[in-house]
Amino acid sequence: MVNYNPHSPGDTTTPEPAAAPAAQIAGPAAQAPRTAETAPGPAVTAEALTVVRGDRTVLRGLDFTVPRARITGLLGPSGCGKSTLLRAIVGTQAKATGTLTVLGAPAGTPALRERIGYVTQAPSIYQDLTVRQNLDYFAAVLHPGRAHRTARAEPVTRAIEDVDLTSHADDLAGRLSGGQLSRVSLAVALLGAPELLVLDEPTVGLDPVLRRDLWTLFHSIATTRGTTLLVSSHVMDEAERCHRLLLLREGALLAEDTPDALRTRTGTGTVEEAFLHLVDEATR
Amino acid sequence: MTVSRTLATAARVLRQLRHDPRTIALLLIVPSLMIILLRYVFDGSPAVFNSIGASLLGIFPLITMFLVSSIATLRERTSGTLERLLAMPLAKGDLIGGYAIAFGAIAVLQSLIATGIALWLLDLNVTGSPWLLLLVALLDALLGTALGLFVSAFAASEFQAVQFMPAVIFPQLLLCGLFTPRDTMQPVLRRISDVLPMSYAVDAMTQVLHHPHATAAFARDAGIVAAVAILVLALGAATLPRRTP
């Protein structure tokens, strides 16, 4: 169930998430008077979030927050509801009940669409366009009009550099490898300088060096651009690289804490062991 | 809907096609080859070629655009690009409009070649203006695009999508008056043919064939084809789900 990747670069290369101030994570009660732009509250606040798909309850009354300008990892085994939760936050999941506030507005509000970058699990790009043509098109959707044509060129070039594909910029996407494809997909999400980046398993199938580079990129995006990142993964060792974790199992939240606190609380050495410990505890 | 997003989408669809020269060649050449084939099949009876040939000039763009657009939208749905686009500030109308413009442009090119060959090389005798033929062909292409976009919502795979072609197009082909005048059909079938849009596409072509100017009947027929195309495009937009069930 729980994947472990023996080729992980391990703790030595993990960017230090020590600066994560757990104290900053206050409940919704701590929010200042609401103005959508300046709301200092968490990027995402969920209360009793439930999602039903068909006759199956995929998410069961989740309560959690995602702090701003931090990397929050959403971890859990395949099929536990991670993608559904991410879709609910992005606003593309039907039948979500409860309260879900994203960047100060109810999830799914049309005005949120340009403030959130979303990378689906499958690389959702056009395989019969080059890397740059893909980005040009999505950039034109975000900032339409001839007048913005020159203004669009710079973010496109930067996004390609961010994901280290400059040498492949004019290659057809269909000729790229799987890992390169998912990086193109990620580059599209970086385009609009979104306030919230929602990444569904962005590092699946990538080699260890690339995974490390991507995590370095995630950290630099969070610290230098102040972007909030919500990253899902079923590989537990990626948890160590996050500031904060949401552990999900069978649609229920197992824990919401920093990796350090989780390990300390469960008296374990890794987040994976902590996860197993919590599962045992819950089923006992 | 924003014009620039719609145009950006149309440009993107055309750019995708440009990376696929074989598809472009097939789109542009096959209708002309069929017209040439038809001409020599009816070598001994040029009158038959004359009446069927004009109708086919309208039917080709409808069929090819139906096929191309149903597959293109299906790919958009299954590749996840649709989900991504709809999570972005893109209106459904921008997407549908972009496809309609892109495929409309291809259809104009396709019809220019086919009509040119039919009129000047194969001596197809048309009383009316070739521009009216082209106009009907463009409307037919839009109708084909609209139908293709719409049915792709009901197809879960490419296998199913191509099966919609015989299911949606063949009955119209049989009932549109191409093989026999509609008023000689069994009355129930004639009634059915009255509500199928391809019948009006063929009627409009027949009007151009026999009358030197745009008649009132031509305007009505062309108007019906255009109206149905827009209605189905709107229905197609409604089938694009912004939310995953």
Side-chain angles (χ1 to χ4, degrees), chain B residues 148-173:
Chain B
L149 286 170
F150 181 65
V151 301
S152 81
F154 307 99
S157 68
E158 276 90 346
F159 283 152
Q160 294 179 9
V162 291
Q163 297 300 327
F164 274 115
M165 143 82 175
V168 175
I169 300 293
F170 276 21
Q172 299 201 61
L173 208 55

Side-chain angles (χ1 to χ4, degrees), chain A residues 53 87 90-94 107-108 113-114 118-120 123-126 128-130 133 137-138 140-142 144-145 172 185-186 188-189, chain B residues 2 4-5 8-10 12 15-20 75-76 79-91 95 99 242-245:
Chain A
R53 299 186 69 186
R87 273 199 299 269
V90 174
T92 57
Q93 180 62 54
R113 277 181 216 144
E114 44 202 290
Y118 172 40
V119 182
T120 51
S124 43
I125 52 167
Y126 299 100
D128 42 7
L129 290 180
T130 68
Q133 286 172 341
Y137 171 56
F138 288 110
V141 169
L142 284 171
L172 266 191
S185 198
L186 175 64
V188 174
Chain B
T2 38
S4 41
R5 286 196 177 105
T9 304
R12 184 263 295 171
R15 213 164 277 147
Q16 282 179 286
L17 273 180
R18 217 171 56 191
H19 288 291
D20 187 359
R75 276 167 58 184
E76 192 101 53
S79 71
T81 46
L82 181 69
E83 186 183 359
R84 158 165 262 158
L85 283 174
L86 293 182
M88 286 174 130
L90 184 88
L95 189 68
Y99 270 107
R242 222 177 253 286
R243 283 160 192 263
T244 307

Side-chain angles (χ1 to χ4, degrees), chain A residues 211-232:
Chain A
R211 280 211 296 158
R212 183 197 59 196
D213 292 351
L214 275 185
W215 276 99
T216 311
L217 172 68
F218 296 162
H219 277 268
S220 93
I221 290 171
T223 45
T224 62
R225 302 179 199 171
T227 307
T228 307
L229 283 93
L230 181 57
V231 184
S232 81

Side-chain angles (χ1 to χ4, degrees), chain B residues 8 37 40 52 70-71 80 86 91 99 122 157 195 223 231:
Chain B
L37 187 67
Y40 293 103
I52 295 184
S70 61
I71 298 291
L86 293 182
Y99 270 107
L122 307 176
S157 68
V195 295
L231 178 75

Side-chain angles (χ1 to χ4, degrees), chain B residues 161-213:
Chain B
V162 291
Q163 297 300 327
F164 274 115
M165 143 82 175
V168 175
I169 300 293
F170 276 21
Q172 299 201 61
L173 208 55
L174 291 174
L175 294 174
C176 70
L178 184 66
F179 297 104
T180 177
R182 289 201 288 133
D183 43 20
T184 63
M185 290 177 190
Q186 205 274 339
V188 175
L189 291 186
R190 196 182 59 76
R191 287 279 165 72
I192 295 175
S193 83
D194 281 346
V195 295
L196 295 177
M198 199 192 281
S199 308
Y200 297 93
V202 168
D203 284 358
M205 280 302 195
T206 314
Q207 290 290 322
V208 182
L209 193 64
H210 296 303
H211 302 280
H213 298 292

Side-chain angles (χ1 to χ4, degrees), chain B residues 13-32 64-65 68 102-103 105-107 109-110 113:
Chain B
V13 174
L14 290 174
R15 213 164 277 147
Q16 282 179 286
L17 273 180
R18 217 171 56 191
H19 288 291
D20 187 359
R22 194 176 303 167
T23 296
I24 297 183
L26 287 169
L27 279 172
L28 296 184
I29 295 170
V30 169
S32 303
T64 49
M65 293 308 142
V68 173
F103 290 145
I106 299 280
L109 216 56
Q110 180 193 61
I113 298 173

